[in-house]
Amino acid sequence: HIITALDSFHGRTQAMMAATGQPHYQDNWTPLMPGFVNVPYNDFGAIAGAYVEGRTCAVLLEPVQGEGGVNVPDDGYLKRVQDFCKEKNILFMLDEVQTGMGRLGTVFGYQRFEGVEPDVMTLGKALGSGAPLGAFACKEFCSVLEPGDHGSTFGGNALTTAAGGAGAKALLDEDGPGQAMRNGEYLTGKLNALREDHQVITEVRGMGMLIGVEMDEELSAAIVADCAENGLLLNAVRPNMLRFMPPLNASTEEIDEAIGILDSALTKSTGRS
């Protein structure tokens, strides 16, 4: 089996619904495909406890959980899991669909964590620069697929791969990761300043341009709707949790405008004058 984390999100195919450790995504798709064990995120002991000699073949994690609430792991967690996988001769796999392509301030999210390098990495979303494109990369020792072993009708087609290649070139040429790092620090600072005016905000957390705002009231749906009416798109990943995933190259003026819209929505939702 493969060990994955609770509050993770790995997609909506039949296998990945089983890998995704969120019951509200899984409930409509039972019976789930066997072969996955969901354990608490950021808990090395839970992974070690779920390991079964001769049965566990891999651990699959997100460097930072996006859909689960922008959960940033403790320092050393991913490295410790990686070392455990190496010790047990099983694969250490990272889902970089949300965290990759500059989002956390490095080309790949795992590069934000010292000494971490996965055996297998999945990519998608930003990889296609707006076109539908997904991919995985792996180290040579576990590269076993040959051309034709696996595919899909539109998989690897010329249009989307060209878009992905052009987007990746622009990401590197224009220092997208560096922009994400700088803009993320600016946005985080603005959100923390907003926290001083709105006591409902309990925490601002994240990396680069993947940032979450946690509240002590379930206001996410109302705030997201109000912000959308005023031109700001957010995601309510939890009833009390907002997720920000702006363009990596958002300007400070655009960030300031977004903060103003959010400020107004918070005021309206909490009933403050």
Side-chain angles (χ1 to χ4, degrees), residues 121-207:
M121 173 176 64
T122 62
L123 294 165
K125 297 188 186 297
L127 179 66
S129 300
L133 181 64
F136 78 93
C138 65
K139 292 181 177 177
E140 188 172 357
F141 81 89
C142 56
S143 178
V144 297
L145 292 180
E146 298 290 342
D149 283 352
H150 182 65
S152 63
T153 300
F154 298 107
N157 73 81
L159 177 62
T160 54
T161 50
K169 184 177 186 303
L171 179 77
L172 298 176
D173 289 348
E174 299 173 22
D175 189 25
Q179 292 190 63
M181 187 78 79
R182 294 186 293 272
N183 289 332
E185 290 174 355
Y186 183 79
L187 175 56
T188 298
K190 289 290 184 177
L191 289 169
N192 276 315
L194 202 62
R195 180 182 176 185
E196 296 179 7
D197 296 328
H198 297 278
Q199 300 303 311
V200 70
I201 298 176
T202 57
E203 185 179 7
V204 176
R205 61 177 181 263
M207 283 186 164

Side-chain angles (χ1 to χ4, degrees), residues 62-251:
E62 297 161 273
V64 173
Q65 288 188 330
E67 199 76 19
V70 191
N71 300 314
V72 180
D74 294 337
D75 290 342
Y77 167 70
L78 293 175
K79 179 65 164 60
R80 194 175 181 190
V81 174
Q82 173 183 281
D83 292 346
F84 177 79
C85 290
K86 186 174 182 179
E87 174 192 337
K88 299 299 184 181
N89 196 30
I90 62 177
L91 294 177
F92 175 57
M93 307 191 297
L94 290 180
D95 183 333
E96 291 263 20
V97 171
Q98 287 197 35
T99 57
M101 305 307 291
R103 176 59 55 184
L104 300 190
T106 47
V107 176
F108 304 119
Y110 75 81
Q111 294 169 317
R112 289 294 306 266
F113 302 91
E114 185 176 357
V116 172
E117 185 177 87
D119 299 318
V120 179
M121 173 176 64
T122 62
L123 294 165
K125 297 188 186 297
L127 179 66
S129 300
L133 181 64
F136 78 93
C138 65
K139 292 181 177 177
E140 188 172 357
F141 81 89
C142 56
S143 178
V144 297
L145 292 180
E146 298 290 342
D149 283 352
H150 182 65
S152 63
T153 300
F154 298 107
N157 73 81
L159 177 62
T160 54
T161 50
K169 184 177 186 303
L171 179 77
L172 298 176
D173 289 348
E174 299 173 22
D175 189 25
Q179 292 190 63
M181 187 78 79
R182 294 186 293 272
N183 289 332
E185 290 174 355
Y186 183 79
L187 175 56
T188 298
K190 289 290 184 177
L191 289 169
N192 276 315
L194 202 62
R195 180 182 176 185
E196 296 179 7
D197 296 328
H198 297 278
Q199 300 303 311
V200 70
I201 298 176
T202 57
E203 185 179 7
V204 176
R205 61 177 181 263
M207 283 186 164
M209 288 290 258
L210 174 57
I211 301 170
V213 172
E214 188 168 358
M215 300 170 288
D216 60 11
E217 297 181 40
E218 295 187 352
L219 302 175
S220 296
I223 290 172
V224 166
D226 191 82
C227 285
E229 289 181 3
N230 291 283
L232 175 62
L233 298 180
L234 302 176
N235 195 337
V237 292
R238 288 286 185 273
N240 67 328
M241 186 79 190
L242 301 170
R243 184 183 66 188
F244 293 74
M245 293 185 69
L248 308 187
N249 61 352
S251 67

